[in-house]
Amino acid sequence: QVQLVESGGGSVQAGGSLRLSCAASSYIYSTYCMGWFRQAPGKEREGVATIHPRGSTRYADSVKGRFTISRDNAKNTLYLQMNSLKPEDTAIYFCAAVRPSYWVVTCTPEAAMYNYWGQGTQVTVSS
């Protein structure tokens, strides 16, 4: 059974940091594209960062230089380190996974392309 379980959300003041975690089923973790997405009230779900099984990463322009996606292969866990948080980062954050085609070298940030999702974790940044 496919499982993605996020943790680490919370409330923080602007300029602060949080680290999100996503525990994944082992067979997903080793071979699938994984990504972090977020959805704010009244807005569409957007891609924040993705990581390919071979390690290449992609970031939304709004988070470049502030957020870092990483994976711990031994723990089958995906992370999102979020620094210099801003009020506009407030959203529900989801991790997601999709099996990439063999020719793919970076993972798409398009939410519609992902077919496995966690339940989400709330991040609130106050000014």
Side-chain angles (χ1 to χ4, degrees), residues 90-108:
T90 295
I92 300 174
Y93 284 71
F94 301 87
C95 78
V98 64
R99 185 167 186 171
S101 299
Y102 71 92
W103 62 84
V104 168
V105 294
T106 62
C107 299
T108 178

Side-chain angles (χ1 to χ4, degrees), residues 6-120:
E6 303 100 334
S7 61
S11 297
V12 65
Q13 289 191 329
S17 298
L18 284 173
R19 188 176 80 158
L20 305 183
S21 300
C22 174
S25 303
S26 59
Y27 77 91
I28 284 183
Y29 190 79
S30 60
T31 60
Y32 280 46
C33 280
M34 298 193 73
W36 288 99
F37 298 80
R38 67 186 181 187
Q39 188 166 18
K43 295 188 176 181
E44 292 187 356
R45 192 168 297 189
E46 64 170 346
V48 175
T50 65
I51 186 165
H52 191 273
R54 291 192 289 273
S56 62
T57 57
R58 293 178 68 173
Y59 294 91
D61 288 342
S62 59
V63 306
K64 282 180 182 177
R66 300 188 299 122
F67 291 10
T68 303
I69 190 171
S70 63
R71 57 204 303 168
D72 184 330
N73 291 332
K75 296 181 179 179
N76 296 334
T77 302
L78 180 73
Y79 299 103
L80 185 68
Q81 178 66 44
M82 306 186 293
N83 299 327
S84 303
L85 282 160
K86 304 176 181 180
E88 51 263 43
D89 295 318
T90 295
I92 300 174
Y93 284 71
F94 301 87
C95 78
V98 64
R99 185 167 186 171
S101 299
Y102 71 92
W103 62 84
V104 168
V105 294
T106 62
C107 299
T108 178
E110 295 295 328
M113 301 301 291
Y114 288 75
N115 48 6
Y116 298 111
W117 291 86
Q119 82 287 354

